Amino acid sequence: MAVVDKWTGLGSALASFLFLWSMVQRHVPVTLSHRVATWANKLASYLNPYLEITISEYGAERFRRSDLFLAAEAYLSDACALRARKLKAEIGRDSSNLQVSVGDNDEVTDDFQGATVWWYVAKKVPRSNVINLYGNQDEPRFYRVVFHRRHRDLVVAKYLPHVLREGRAVTVRNRQRRLFTNNPSGGGRGRGDVWSHVAFEHPATFDTLAMDPEEKEEILDDLEAFREAKDYYTKVGKAWKRGYLLYGPPGTGKSTMIAAMANFLDYDVYDLELTAVNNNTDLRKLFIETTGKSIIVIEDIDCSVDLTGKRKDDKKQADGGADKPKLPMEPEKDEGSKVTLSGLLNFIDGLWSACGGERIIIFTTNHKDKLDPALIRRGRMDRHIEMSYCRFRAFKVLAKNYLDVEEHELFGQIGQLLEETDMSPADVAENLMPMSKKKKKRDANVCLENLVEALKQAKEDAAKAKEKAEAAKKKAQEEDDAKKGKGQDQGDKTSESKMSNGHIK
């Protein structure tokens, strides 16, 4: 009973002290209260050797989550989640993968270069009658980083940058990559409206790409060197970007090559449709809205728009060479995209190309000779990759992928036919895909025999086409010679007539 009375008295005394302190604070000058608070903090620092850093979920931009907070969240989920006792699971934005992260009101520890760091996840309880500035988040969260004061320089100068760097890397690895396409009218409607996107789920890899293995290895080495060359590009004073020109006949794997590059680098893909861009200004806006770690693709660059800058002159000449007067109510006709060669060159290699960094720009074409030399010179399109017809080494990749066959008795005949016949990898793959109705699976023997027949037929068709072309050429030459001979005969008759007339005269 005496113990209960003792604790009761202590509680009453503490309550009385707190009441009196609150009354005293009202009459104490502000400077004195600040001085007392400063002394109290100093006394606490002497008694408590631990420091703390707070990382808020929302920074200066109240409607946007802090990059450091997001990086810390990703870092803790990857490096420290196994040591946490409270976890939360959710489906990430634009992703079907389950993401597990550290739950609220939990503590996790991390070790860095001999220093122990404690992370505390908590929420800020909002005051009543306060307008929420954090969107749908009723209780903004924050991280409290606690560490010994002797590790202050290490944590501030090295550990937190390490968390930011590793957290961003984890975000890139776990994110759902996207395939973008530009909206019509060039995106003058505001931020976020210039591109539309879907999840990028193309399964192509360099292992499945029908191409000579040595050429593939060179391309992989080039991509790997680019990805690790940020400091080198800064040293030489160049924007961190690289251009690739993929050229060759249809069906030779140009689009598949782009997908394989994106999957190898873990980059987003921006498929730029030039015919939907109004002018050079809108083209620059599109470039600004792209992110780093991305591939910007313009397919069939020779067929997209006329980049000579002479569209208007050509149309005027076709209409008679003069501007026709327009009626007051006559609407303006859409002349299509006004993107010029100069605007596209600035897009690739101008001042705007350095915004963001770590980008790859790819052009594809079926006719390399139709492109302006200034557009594909080194420095803009740094590497030219020819996507040619299927040859034997590329065929072996297809046979392994489609039929799980690495050696076969028909390979010798197929190899000879492929060297004599131009057949695209897409056509070769089509002959390897038929499934046997009886066995309910692909029969390698049947597929390879079908390919042999298709190659023989293609060889015959090519020979007939060649004969037909030579015959047409020969016929045209004969007609040309006949016209020249007829013209010469008429000239001789004319001269004889003149001589006869002169003799009579």
Coordinates of all heavy atoms in Angstrom, one line a residue, residues 292-372:
G292 N 15.9 9.4 -69.6 CA 17.1 8.7 -69.8 C 16.9 7.2 -69.9 O 15.8 6.7 -69.6
K293 N 17.9 6.5 -70.2 CA 17.8 5.0 -70.3 C 16.7 4.7 -71.3 O 15.8 3.9 -70.9 CB 17.6 4.4 -69.0 CG 18.8 4.5 -68.0 CD 18.6 3.8 -66.7 CE 19.7 4.0 -65.8 NZ 21.0 3.4 -66.3
S294 N 16.8 5.2 -72.5 CA 15.7 5.0 -73.4 C 16.3 4.8 -74.8 O 17.4 5.3 -75.1 CB 14.6 6.1 -73.4 OG 15.2 7.3 -73.7
I295 N 15.5 4.2 -75.7 CA 15.9 4.1 -77.1 C 14.8 4.8 -78.0 O 13.6 4.5 -77.8 CB 15.9 2.6 -77.6 CG1 17.0 1.9 -76.8 CG2 16.2 2.5 -79.1 CD1 17.0 0.4 -77.1
I296 N 15.2 5.8 -78.8 CA 14.3 6.5 -79.6 C 14.4 6.0 -81.0 O 15.5 5.9 -81.6 CB 14.7 8.0 -79.6 CG1 14.6 8.6 -78.2 CG2 13.7 8.8 -80.5 CD1 15.0 10.0 -78.0
V297 N 13.3 5.5 -81.6 CA 13.3 4.8 -82.8 C 12.5 5.5 -83.9 O 11.4 6.0 -83.6 CB 12.7 3.4 -82.7 CG1 12.7 2.6 -84.0 CG2 13.5 2.6 -81.6
I298 N 13.1 5.7 -85.1 CA 12.3 6.2 -86.2 C 12.5 5.1 -87.3 O 13.5 5.0 -87.9 CB 12.9 7.6 -86.7 CG1 12.8 8.6 -85.6 CG2 12.1 8.0 -87.9 CD1 13.4 10.0 -86.0
E299 N 11.4 4.4 -87.5 CA 11.5 3.3 -88.5 C 11.1 3.8 -89.9 O 10.3 4.7 -90.0 CB 10.5 2.2 -88.1 CG 10.9 1.5 -86.8 CD 10.1 0.2 -86.6 OE1 10.7 -0.9 -87.1 OE2 9.1 0.2 -86.0
D300 N 11.8 3.2 -90.9 CA 11.6 3.5 -92.3 C 11.8 5.0 -92.5 O 10.9 5.7 -93.0 CB 10.2 3.1 -92.8 CG 10.1 1.6 -92.7 OD1 11.1 0.9 -93.0 OD2 9.0 1.1 -92.4
I301 N 12.9 5.5 -92.1 CA 13.2 7.0 -92.1 C 13.1 7.5 -93.5 O 12.7 8.7 -93.7 CB 14.6 7.3 -91.5 CG1 14.9 8.8 -91.4 CG2 15.7 6.5 -92.2 CD1 14.1 9.5 -90.4
D302 N 13.3 6.7 -94.5 CA 13.3 7.2 -95.9 C 11.8 7.4 -96.4 O 11.6 8.1 -97.3 CB 14.0 6.2 -96.8 CG 13.5 4.8 -96.7 OD1 13.4 4.3 -95.5 OD2 13.2 4.2 -97.7
C303 N 10.9 6.7 -95.7 CA 9.5 6.8 -96.1 C 8.6 7.7 -95.1 O 7.4 7.9 -95.4 CB 8.9 5.4 -96.1 SG 9.7 4.3 -97.2
S304 N 9.2 8.2 -94.0 CA 8.4 8.9 -93.0 C 7.9 10.2 -93.6 O 6.7 10.4 -93.7 CB 9.2 9.1 -91.8 OG 9.6 7.9 -91.2
V305 N 8.8 11.1 -93.9 CA 8.5 12.4 -94.4 C 9.5 12.9 -95.4 O 10.6 12.3 -95.4 CB 8.4 13.5 -93.3 CG1 7.2 13.3 -92.4 CG2 9.7 13.6 -92.5
D306 N 9.2 13.9 -96.2 CA 10.2 14.4 -97.2 C 11.0 15.4 -96.4 O 10.6 16.4 -95.9 CB 9.4 15.1 -98.3 CG 10.4 15.6 -99.4 OD1 11.6 15.4 -99.2 OD2 9.9 16.3 -100.3
L307 N 12.3 15.0 -96.3 CA 13.3 15.8 -95.5 C 14.1 16.8 -96.3 O 15.1 17.3 -95.9 CB 14.2 14.9 -94.7 CG 13.4 14.1 -93.6 CD1 14.4 13.1 -93.0 CD2 12.7 14.9 -92.6
T308 N 13.7 17.0 -97.6 CA 14.5 17.8 -98.5 C 14.1 19.3 -98.3 O 14.8 20.2 -98.8 CB 14.3 17.4 -99.9 OG1 12.9 17.6 -100.3 CG2 14.7 16.0 -100.2
G309 N 13.0 19.6 -97.7 CA 12.5 21.0 -97.6 C 12.0 21.5 -98.8 O 11.8 22.8 -99.0
K310 N 11.6 20.7 -99.8 CA 11.1 21.2 -101.1 C 9.6 20.8 -101.3 O 9.2 20.8 -102.5 CB 11.9 20.7 -102.2 CG 13.4 21.2 -102.1 CD 14.2 20.6 -103.3 CE 15.6 21.1 -103.2 NZ 16.4 20.5 -104.3
R311 N 8.9 20.4 -100.3 CA 7.5 19.9 -100.5 C 6.6 21.0 -101.1 O 5.9 20.8 -102.0 CB 6.9 19.4 -99.2 CG 7.5 18.1 -98.7 CD 6.7 17.6 -97.5 NE 6.6 18.6 -96.5 CZ 7.6 18.8 -95.5 NH1 8.7 18.1 -95.6 NH2 7.4 19.8 -94.6
K312 N 6.8 22.2 -100.5 CA 5.9 23.3 -100.9 C 6.2 23.7 -102.4 O 5.3 23.9 -103.2 CB 6.0 24.5 -100.0 CG 5.0 25.6 -100.2 CD 5.2 26.7 -99.2 CE 4.8 26.3 -97.9 NZ 4.8 27.4 -96.9
D313 N 7.5 23.8 -102.7 CA 7.8 24.1 -104.1 C 7.3 23.1 -105.1 O 6.8 23.4 -106.2 CB 9.3 24.3 -104.2 CG 9.9 25.4 -103.4 OD1 9.0 26.3 -103.1 OD2 11.1 25.4 -103.1
D314 N 7.4 21.8 -104.7 CA 7.0 20.7 -105.6 C 5.5 20.8 -105.8 O 5.0 20.6 -106.9 CB 7.3 19.4 -105.0 CG 8.8 19.2 -105.0 OD1 9.5 19.9 -105.8 OD2 9.3 18.3 -104.3
K315 N 4.7 21.2 -104.8 CA 3.3 21.2 -104.9 C 2.9 22.4 -105.8 O 2.0 22.4 -106.6 CB 2.6 21.3 -103.5 CG 2.7 20.0 -102.7 CD 1.9 20.1 -101.4 CE 1.9 18.8 -100.7 NZ 1.1 18.9 -99.5
K316 N 3.6 23.5 -105.6 CA 3.3 24.7 -106.4 C 3.5 24.4 -107.9 O 2.8 24.8 -108.8 CB 4.2 25.9 -106.0 CG 3.7 26.5 -104.7 CD 4.6 27.7 -104.3 CE 4.2 28.3 -103.0 NZ 5.0 29.4 -102.6
Q317 N 4.6 23.7 -108.2 CA 4.9 23.3 -109.6 C 3.9 22.4 -110.1 O 3.5 22.5 -111.3 CB 6.3 22.7 -109.7 CG 7.4 23.7 -109.4 CD 8.8 23.0 -109.4 OE1 8.9 21.9 -109.8 NE2 9.8 23.8 -109.1
A318 N 3.4 21.5 -109.3 CA 2.4 20.6 -109.8 C 1.1 21.3 -110.1 O 0.3 20.9 -110.9 CB 2.2 19.5 -108.8
D319 N 0.8 22.4 -109.3 CA -0.4 23.2 -109.5 C -0.3 24.2 -110.6 O -1.3 25.0 -110.8 CB -0.8 23.8 -108.2 CG -1.2 22.8 -107.1 OD1 -1.5 21.7 -107.5 OD2 -1.1 23.1 -105.9
G320 N 0.8 24.3 -111.3 CA 0.9 25.3 -112.3 C 2.0 26.3 -112.1 O 2.1 27.3 -112.9
G321 N 2.7 26.3 -110.9 CA 3.8 27.2 -110.7 C 3.4 28.5 -110.1 O 4.2 29.4 -109.9
A322 N 2.1 28.7 -109.8 CA 1.7 30.0 -109.2 C 0.7 29.7 -108.1 O 0.0 28.8 -108.1 CB 1.1 30.9 -110.3
D323 N 0.7 30.7 -107.1 CA -0.2 30.5 -106.0 C -1.6 30.9 -106.5 O -1.9 32.0 -107.0 CB 0.2 31.5 -104.8 CG 1.5 31.0 -104.2 OD1 1.7 29.8 -104.3 OD2 2.2 31.9 -103.7
K324 N -2.6 30.0 -106.2 CA -4.0 30.3 -106.6 C -4.6 31.1 -105.5 O -4.5 30.9 -104.4 CB -4.7 29.0 -106.8 CG -4.2 28.1 -107.9 CD -5.0 26.8 -108.1 CE -4.5 26.0 -109.2 NZ -5.2 24.7 -109.3
P325 N -5.4 32.1 -105.9 CA -6.1 32.9 -104.9 C -7.2 32.0 -104.2 O -7.8 31.2 -104.8 CB -6.8 34.0 -105.7 CG -6.9 33.4 -107.1 CD -5.7 32.5 -107.3
K326 N -7.3 32.3 -102.9 CA -8.2 31.5 -102.1 C -9.4 32.4 -101.7 O -9.3 33.6 -101.5 CB -7.5 31.1 -100.8 CG -6.4 30.1 -101.0 CD -5.8 29.6 -99.6 CE -4.7 28.6 -99.8 NZ -4.1 28.2 -98.5
L327 N -10.5 31.7 -101.6 CA -11.7 32.4 -101.2 C -11.6 32.7 -99.7 O -11.0 32.0 -99.0 CB -13.0 31.5 -101.5 CG -13.2 31.2 -103.0 CD1 -14.4 30.3 -103.1 CD2 -13.5 32.5 -103.8
P328 N -12.3 33.8 -99.2 CA -12.2 34.1 -97.8 C -12.6 33.0 -96.9 O -12.0 32.9 -95.8 CB -13.2 35.3 -97.7 CG -13.3 35.9 -99.1 CD -13.1 34.7 -100.0
M329 N -13.6 32.2 -97.2 CA -14.0 31.1 -96.4 C -13.4 29.8 -96.7 O -13.8 28.8 -96.1 CB -15.6 31.0 -96.5 CG -16.3 32.3 -96.1 SD -15.9 32.8 -94.4 CE -16.7 31.4 -93.5
E330 N -12.5 29.7 -97.6 CA -11.8 28.5 -97.9 C -10.9 28.0 -96.8 O -10.0 28.8 -96.4 CB -11.1 28.6 -99.3 CG -10.5 27.3 -99.7 CD -9.8 27.4 -101.1 OE1 -9.8 28.5 -101.6 OE2 -9.2 26.4 -101.5
P331 N -11.0 26.8 -96.3 CA -10.2 26.4 -95.2 C -8.8 26.0 -95.7 O -8.5 25.7 -96.9 CB -10.9 25.1 -94.7 CG -11.6 24.6 -95.9 CD -12.0 25.8 -96.7
E332 N -7.8 26.2 -94.8 CA -6.4 25.8 -95.1 C -6.3 24.3 -95.2 O -6.9 23.5 -94.4 CB -5.5 26.3 -94.0 CG -5.4 27.8 -93.9 CD -4.6 28.4 -95.0 OE1 -3.8 27.6 -95.6 OE2 -4.7 29.6 -95.2
K333 N -5.6 23.9 -96.2 CA -5.3 22.4 -96.4 C -4.2 22.0 -95.6 O -3.2 22.7 -95.4 CB -5.1 22.1 -97.9 CG -6.3 22.4 -98.8 CD -6.0 22.0 -100.2 CE -7.2 22.2 -101.1 NZ -7.0 21.8 -102.5
D334 N -4.3 20.8 -95.1 CA -3.2 20.2 -94.3 C -2.1 19.7 -95.2 O -2.3 18.8 -96.0 CB -3.8 19.0 -93.4 CG -2.7 18.4 -92.5 OD1 -1.7 19.1 -92.3 OD2 -3.0 17.3 -92.0
E335 N -1.0 20.3 -95.0 CA 0.1 19.9 -95.9 C 1.0 18.9 -95.3 O 2.1 18.6 -95.7 CB 1.0 21.2 -96.2 CG 0.2 22.2 -97.0 CD 1.1 23.4 -97.4 OE1 2.3 23.4 -96.9 OE2 0.7 24.3 -98.1
G336 N 0.6 18.3 -94.2 CA 1.3 17.2 -93.5 C 2.4 17.8 -92.6 O 2.4 18.9 -92.3
S337 N 3.3 16.9 -92.2 CA 4.4 17.3 -91.3 C 5.3 18.3 -92.0 O 5.7 18.2 -93.2 CB 5.2 16.0 -90.9 OG 6.3 16.4 -90.1
K338 N 5.7 19.3 -91.2 CA 6.7 20.3 -91.7 C 8.0 20.1 -91.0 O 8.8 21.1 -90.9 CB 6.1 21.7 -91.4 CG 4.9 22.0 -92.2 CD 4.4 23.4 -91.9 CE 3.1 23.8 -92.7 NZ 2.0 22.9 -92.3
V339 N 8.3 18.9 -90.6 CA 9.7 18.7 -90.0 C 10.7 18.7 -91.1 O 10.5 18.1 -92.2 CB 9.7 17.3 -89.3 CG1 11.1 16.9 -88.9 CG2 8.7 17.2 -88.2
T340 N 11.7 19.5 -90.9 CA 12.8 19.6 -92.0 C 14.0 18.8 -91.6 O 14.2 18.3 -90.5 CB 13.2 21.1 -92.1 OG1 13.8 21.5 -90.9 CG2 11.9 22.0 -92.4
L341 N 14.9 18.7 -92.6 CA 16.1 18.0 -92.4 C 16.9 18.7 -91.3 O 17.5 18.0 -90.4 CB 16.9 17.9 -93.7 CG 18.3 17.2 -93.6 CD1 18.2 15.8 -93.1 CD2 19.0 17.3 -94.9
S342 N 17.0 20.0 -91.3 CA 17.7 20.7 -90.3 C 17.1 20.5 -88.9 O 17.9 20.3 -88.0 CB 17.6 22.2 -90.6 OG 18.2 23.0 -89.6
G343 N 15.8 20.4 -88.8 CA 15.2 20.2 -87.5 C 15.5 18.8 -87.0 O 15.8 18.6 -85.8
L344 N 15.5 17.8 -87.9 CA 15.9 16.4 -87.5 C 17.3 16.3 -87.1 O 17.7 15.6 -86.2 CB 15.5 15.5 -88.6 CG 15.6 14.0 -88.3 CD1 14.7 13.6 -87.1 CD2 15.3 13.1 -89.5
L345 N 18.2 17.0 -87.8 CA 19.6 17.0 -87.5 C 19.9 17.6 -86.1 O 20.7 17.1 -85.3 CB 20.4 17.7 -88.5 CG 20.5 17.1 -89.9 CD1 21.3 17.9 -90.8 CD2 21.0 15.7 -89.9
N346 N 19.2 18.7 -85.8 CA 19.3 19.2 -84.4 C 18.7 18.3 -83.4 O 19.2 18.3 -82.2 CB 18.6 20.6 -84.4 CG 19.3 21.7 -85.1 OD1 20.5 21.6 -85.2 ND2 18.6 22.6 -85.7
F347 N 17.7 17.6 -83.7 CA 17.1 16.6 -82.8 C 18.1 15.5 -82.4 O 18.2 15.1 -81.3 CB 15.8 16.0 -83.5 CG 15.2 14.9 -82.7 CD1 14.3 15.1 -81.7 CD2 15.5 13.6 -83.1 CE1 13.7 14.1 -81.0 CE2 14.9 12.5 -82.4 CZ 14.0 12.8 -81.4
I348 N 18.9 15.1 -83.4 CA 19.8 14.0 -83.2 C 21.1 14.5 -82.6 O 21.6 13.9 -81.6 CB 20.1 13.3 -84.5 CG1 18.9 12.8 -85.2 CG2 21.1 12.2 -84.3 CD1 19.1 12.3 -86.6
D349 N 21.6 15.6 -83.1 CA 23.0 16.0 -82.7 C 23.1 17.4 -82.3 O 24.3 17.9 -82.2 CB 23.9 15.7 -84.0 CG 25.3 15.7 -83.6 OD1 25.7 15.2 -82.5 OD2 26.2 16.1 -84.5
G350 N 22.0 18.1 -82.0 CA 22.1 19.6 -81.7 C 22.3 19.7 -80.2 O 22.5 18.8 -79.4
L351 N 22.0 21.0 -79.7 CA 22.1 21.3 -78.3 C 21.1 20.5 -77.5 O 21.3 20.1 -76.3 CB 22.0 22.8 -78.1 CG 23.1 23.7 -78.7 CD1 22.7 25.1 -78.5 CD2 24.4 23.4 -78.0
W352 N 19.9 20.3 -78.1 CA 18.8 19.6 -77.3 C 19.1 18.2 -77.1 O 18.6 17.5 -76.2 CB 17.5 19.7 -78.1 CG 17.0 21.1 -78.1 CD1 17.2 22.0 -79.2 CD2 16.3 21.9 -77.1 NE1 16.6 23.2 -78.9 CE2 16.1 23.2 -77.6 CE3 15.8 21.5 -75.9 CZ2 15.4 24.1 -76.9 CZ3 15.1 22.5 -75.1 CH2 14.9 23.8 -75.7
S353 N 20.0 17.6 -77.9 CA 20.3 16.2 -77.8 C 21.0 15.8 -76.5 O 21.1 14.7 -76.1 CB 21.1 15.7 -79.0 OG 22.4 16.3 -78.9
A354 N 21.6 16.8 -75.8 CA 22.3 16.6 -74.5 C 21.4 16.6 -73.3 O 21.9 16.3 -72.2 CB 23.4 17.6 -74.4
C355 N 20.1 16.9 -73.5 CA 19.2 16.9 -72.4 C 18.9 15.5 -71.9 O 18.4 14.7 -72.7 CB 17.9 17.6 -72.8 SG 18.2 19.4 -73.3
G356 N 19.1 15.2 -70.7 CA 18.7 13.9 -70.1 C 19.8 12.9 -70.1 O 20.1 12.2 -69.1
G357 N 20.5 12.7 -71.2 CA 21.6 11.7 -71.3 C 21.2 10.3 -71.4 O 20.0 9.9 -71.2
E358 N 22.1 9.4 -71.7 CA 22.0 8.0 -71.8 C 20.8 7.6 -72.7 O 19.8 7.0 -72.3 CB 21.8 7.4 -70.4 CG 22.1 5.9 -70.4 CD 22.2 5.2 -69.1 OE1 22.0 6.0 -68.1 OE2 22.4 4.0 -69.0
R359 N 20.9 8.0 -74.0 CA 19.9 7.6 -74.9 C 20.6 7.0 -76.2 O 21.7 7.3 -76.5 CB 19.1 8.9 -75.4 CG 18.2 9.5 -74.4 CD 17.4 10.6 -75.0 NE 16.5 11.2 -74.0 CZ 16.8 12.2 -73.3 NH1 18.0 12.7 -73.3 NH2 15.8 12.7 -72.4
I360 N 19.8 6.1 -76.8 CA 20.2 5.5 -78.1 C 19.2 5.9 -79.1 O 18.0 5.8 -78.9 CB 20.3 4.0 -78.0 CG1 21.6 3.6 -77.1 CG2 20.4 3.4 -79.3 CD1 21.7 2.1 -76.9
I361 N 19.6 6.4 -80.3 CA 18.8 6.8 -81.4 C 19.0 5.8 -82.5 O 20.1 5.6 -82.9 CB 19.0 8.2 -81.8 CG1 18.8 9.2 -80.6 CG2 18.1 8.6 -83.0 CD1 19.2 10.6 -80.9
I362 N 17.9 5.2 -83.0 CA 18.0 4.2 -84.0 C 17.1 4.6 -85.2 O 15.9 5.0 -85.1 CB 17.5 2.8 -83.5 CG1 18.5 2.4 -82.4 CG2 17.6 1.8 -84.6 CD1 18.1 1.0 -81.8
F363 N 17.7 4.6 -86.4 CA 17.0 4.7 -87.7 C 17.0 3.4 -88.4 O 17.9 2.6 -88.3 CB 17.6 5.7 -88.6 CG 17.5 7.1 -88.1 CD1 18.4 8.1 -88.7 CD2 16.7 7.5 -87.2 CE1 18.3 9.4 -88.3 CE2 16.6 8.8 -86.7 CZ 17.4 9.8 -87.3
T364 N 15.8 3.0 -89.0 CA 15.8 1.9 -89.8 C 15.4 2.3 -91.2 O 14.6 3.2 -91.4 CB 14.8 0.8 -89.3 OG1 13.4 1.3 -89.5 CG2 15.0 0.5 -87.8
T365 N 15.9 1.6 -92.2 CA 15.5 1.9 -93.6 C 15.8 0.6 -94.5 O 16.6 -0.2 -94.2 CB 16.4 3.0 -94.2 OG1 16.0 3.3 -95.5 CG2 17.9 2.7 -94.1
N366 N 15.0 0.5 -95.5 CA 15.2 -0.5 -96.5 C 16.2 -0.1 -97.7 O 16.7 -0.9 -98.4 CB 13.9 -1.0 -97.1 CG 13.0 -1.6 -96.1 OD1 13.4 -2.1 -95.1 ND2 11.7 -1.5 -96.4
H367 N 16.4 1.2 -97.7 CA 17.2 1.8 -98.8 C 18.1 2.8 -98.2 O 17.8 4.0 -98.1 CB 16.3 2.4 -99.9 CG 15.2 1.5 -100.4 ND1 15.5 0.5 -101.3 CD2 13.9 1.4 -100.1 CE1 14.4 -0.2 -101.5 NE2 13.4 0.4 -100.9
K368 N 19.3 2.4 -97.9 CA 20.3 3.3 -97.3 C 20.7 4.4 -98.2 O 21.0 5.5 -97.8 CB 21.5 2.5 -96.8 CG 22.6 3.3 -96.2 CD 23.8 2.4 -95.9 CE 25.0 3.2 -95.3 NZ 26.1 2.3 -95.0
D369 N 20.8 4.1 -99.5 CA 21.3 5.1 -100.5 C 20.3 6.2 -100.7 O 20.7 7.3 -101.3 CB 21.5 4.4 -101.9 CG 20.3 3.6 -102.3 OD1 19.4 3.2 -101.5 OD2 20.2 3.4 -103.6
K370 N 19.1 6.1 -100.2 CA 18.1 7.2 -100.4 C 18.2 8.3 -99.3 O 17.6 9.3 -99.4 CB 16.7 6.7 -100.4 CG 16.3 5.8 -101.6 CD 14.9 5.4 -101.5 CE 14.5 4.6 -102.8 NZ 13.0 4.2 -102.8
L371 N 19.0 8.0 -98.2 CA 19.1 8.9 -97.1 C 20.2 10.0 -97.4 O 21.2 9.7 -98.0 CB 19.5 8.2 -95.8 CG 18.4 7.1 -95.4 CD1 18.9 6.4 -94.1 CD2 17.1 7.7 -95.2
D372 N 19.9 11.2 -96.8 CA 20.9 12.3 -97.0 C 22.2 11.9 -96.2 O 22.1 11.4 -95.1 CB 20.3 13.5 -96.4 CG 21.1 14.8 -96.8 OD1 22.2 14.9 -96.3 OD2 20.5 15.6 -97.5

